[in-house]
Amino acid sequence: MHNQDQKLIFEVSTPGRVGYSLPEMDVPEADVAALLPEGYLREEEPLLPEVSELDIMRHYTSLSRRNHGVDSGFYPLGSCTMKYNPKINENVARYNGFAHIHPLQDESSVQGALELLYDLQQHLKEITGMDEVTLQPAAGAHGEWTGLMMIRAYHEANGNLKRTKVIVPDSAHGTNPASATVAGLETVTVKSNENGLVDLEDLRRVVGEDTAALMLTNPNTLGLFEEHIVEIADIVHEAGGKVYYDGANLNAVLSKARPGDMGFDVVHLNLHKTFTGPHGGGGPGSGPVGVKSDLIPFLPRPVIAKRGDEYVLDYDRPQSIGRVKPYYGNFGINVRAYTYIRSMGPDGLKAVTEYAVLNANYMMRRLAEYYDLPFDRHCKHEFVLSGRRQKKLGVRTLDIAKRLLDFGFHPPTIYFPLNVEECIMIEPTETESKETLDSFIDIMIQIAKEAEENPEIVQEAPHTTVVGRLDETTAARKPVLRYQNA
Ligand SMILES: *Cc1c(COP(=O)(O)O)cnc(C)c1O
């Protein structure tokens, strides 16, 4: 669906119009048919819009104005760490020596790029308390799968073929069980207790000789710190399993506590979350994985290593699970994360966590009067509210999310984690000012009052956006991929 004044690029298209001018060709035309195998040759011309440069600039500028991004407004999407992406990262990622090198260049000609990656690995080892790091995985979920494949290879190398179960809490992110399945393992759920933390009794019940690993994020997806993390890790280790850290919530403990010191054996980081890679819309991301020493042999190859003064790609890893991504991973995101770590410095990174946690607790306390607070305890970088009070008035959490759009706010995460009814999950991040937090809180309070006094205005929201409420299932299942004349 599209409204009248926003045309599709194919509707703007005029036959014969071009957006470029090239000099006349002064070399013979290549015989493409002779260069490519037959199966790869097109039978028809591709359907492409024919537009001028100005048409296409206006088209994308107009689309960008209808979109919501961190640069245009507050984006408190819980679990996603939509913090500001410093623009110096972009400058550095665009340096010719980074942006214009070719992934197939000889190692000797890309020493600077390899040094940056090696140095980034060193920083991430220090930050996580791990012994070695791979930068290959393309995002968090890919890191999860990579880490589980290494754990699987580790158990197999020790002759433990029956360790096929991955324990995940009932509040876990959907990627955790998905990664376990793709890694050929089975998921077992461990319950949360009334405080929103892992139920130790239930953990003792599900752990056993078939346990490959426990996957956990700390703080968990409710924004609560697992106080018994050392005991949890001990229970799993005693049963012979490994403990996996889903690093999506690292913003809550960065430079304060290290997963390696809590007893975790494998860690993935979401550089696009904690370390300011711009994300949303599906990418690009970077999901480095760190491991303790006994898992080092299984790391994806090549590993970036230093020999004397030289940086090399080490392929000589006989027990490696193999390559998980072509070339060097998402290099540009790794450059941005490196720039962020270096420009913040150790004190700057500590302040990140302090402000992220302060902002979340401030918002939680101010909102607790108007929305139900399922876990009334100190939170970390994010917190969950329940819209069950509003639901009794006929206003669902989805309606509240849509109403926020009328005020220019991106809604928080809703209906996740699944163990909280009408869940609203808010992550303000450290980069927002008190004024921004206050204006969001004021609107949330206004919406709570509207739910009591004038529920229709919330139920029918949004009112001020370019399009009204969409049929989201159809929008997701049947996106308009290309324009065709019916
Ligand atoms: C974002 C997230 C993931 C997945 O990470 P991607 O980088 O999006 O693949 C996993 N677990 C949690 C808790 C997350 O918030």
Side-chain angles (χ1 to χ4, degrees), residues 115 127 162 168 177 207 277 369 409:
E115 181 178 355
I127 287 169
K162 293 209 180 99
V168 302
V207 82
E369 205 182 313
F409 292 118

Side-chain angles (χ1 to χ4, degrees), residues 78-81 138-144 171-176 217 219-221 246-249 268-273 279 285-287 382 416 425 427:
S79 212
C80 295
T81 312
H142 194 201
E144 291 170 25
S171 61
H173 194 266
T175 53
N176 294 180
T217 123
N220 64 25
T221 52
D246 173 341
N249 293 334
H268 86 250
L269 300 176
N270 306 63
L271 297 189
H272 45 293
K273 294 182 180 172
H279 65 300
S286 180
E382 63 193 359
F416 173 78
M425 184 195 211
E427 179 180 3

